[in-house]
Amino acid sequence: MNNEVPKVWNKVGYLSLKDVASWIRDLKERVKFMSEWLVTGGPNCFWISGFFYPQGFLTGVLQTHARKTTIAIDNLVFSFKVQEFEKEQCSIKPVDGVFIYGLFLEGAQWKKKCLADLNFGQMNMLMPVIHFLPLQQDKYQSRSDNYSCPVYKTQTRAGVLSTTGQSTNYVLAVDLPTLDQPPDYWTLRGTALICALKE
């Protein structure tokens, strides 16, 4: 009656701020994504918001790369490259790593291949596809003009501490180039990538 997700569902379900109608639509999309993956094989591009535990999926990507290259998983990190296409145009799989879609940029917009100020009245924007590419840790160099953008499951950004010592709402940090402003500028603006919006 209040259009709220029942507490018993929330207790065993994924983190979400959606009302019950939006939550059910979202659940159907998640089931559809997983069903298509099961029937047709791994997609060219993965919907990161569709995972109950995205961190587990990303660890699996690192494990797959570790087996392929015989590099210890502890020596692997992700590098990130924002692509110039949307998920509908994703016709091939990358040789290494995965293409990810479904992240929303909050507190900034993506313009001319770097972070930029939002337009007036704009709250967030859907990011293009991002290539998550595993690299050997000693071969990866984060540029000083990159902003280490945190990825959260929901807009609340807060979560419960898990057994790993990290918030259950935090996924990882994605390095994004910032040319016009220093990285601290985006930190003060609270710029982050969000897996799922409230509405």
Side-chain angles (χ1 to χ4, degrees):
M1 287 178 66
N2 296 328
N3 202 20
E4 293 176 358
V5 179
K7 289 180 182 176
V8 290
W9 294 6
N10 269 332
K11 189 175 178 183
V12 295
Y14 49 86
L15 282 178
S16 178
L17 302 177
K18 297 179 184 294
D19 59 39
V20 73
S22 299
W23 191 89
I24 288 175
R25 278 194 301 273
D26 184 56
L27 178 63
K28 286 180 179 178
E29 284 299 313
R30 288 168 185 251
V31 171
K32 180 183 173 190
F33 170 69
M34 294 296 176
S35 298
E36 287 176 357
W37 184 355
L38 180 66
V39 172
T40 63
N44 295 333
C45 199
F46 290 89
W47 180 37
I48 195 166
S49 309
F51 292 103
F52 184 93
Y53 186 61
Q55 299 94 317
F57 168 73
L58 295 173
T59 300
V61 173
L62 292 177
Q63 286 174 334
T64 301
H65 191 78
R67 289 189 191 106
K68 179 180 176 181
T69 59
T70 64
I71 299 171
I73 190 171
D74 294 341
N75 293 332
L76 290 174
V77 293
F78 279 114
S79 65
F80 310 94
K81 182 165 176 36
V82 181
Q83 304 299 300
E84 295 183 36
F85 55 83
E86 304 299 327
K87 71 170 176 99
E88 293 80 13
Q89 302 161 314
C90 190
S91 57
I92 57 167
K93 296 178 184 179
V95 175
D96 291 309
V98 289
F99 287 137
I100 295 292
Y101 74 92
L103 292 173
F104 294 87
L105 185 59
E106 194 170 75
Q109 66 172 317
W110 185 255
K111 191 175 180 182
K112 297 179 180 176
K113 300 182 183 180
C114 68
L115 293 173
D117 284 317
L118 286 166
N119 297 325
F120 182 75
Q122 188 180 14
M123 298 294 291
N124 50 58
M125 68 161 292
L126 181 63
M127 279 293 285
V129 169
I130 303 174
H131 186 189
F132 282 52
L133 176 64
L135 283 181
Q136 200 164 337
Q137 199 162 9
D138 56 5
K139 292 183 179 176
Y140 177 69
Q141 291 183 339
S142 180
R143 293 174 36 164
S144 59
D145 60 349
N146 277 353
Y147 169 59
S148 188
C149 186
V151 178
Y152 296 101
K153 294 178 187 175
T154 68
Q155 290 172 289
T156 302
R157 303 187 186 193
V160 180
L161 281 183
S162 67
T163 53
T164 62
Q166 290 186 328
S167 167
T168 52
N169 201 7
Y170 175 79
V171 180
L172 82 165
V174 172
D175 285 342
L176 295 176
T178 167
L179 302 178
D180 297 334
Q181 302 290 350
D184 289 349
Y185 177 83
W186 304 110
T187 303
L188 292 171
R189 286 187 156 248
T191 302
L193 287 164
I194 310 295
C195 290
L197 300 179
K198 189 173 181 178
E199 61 276 346

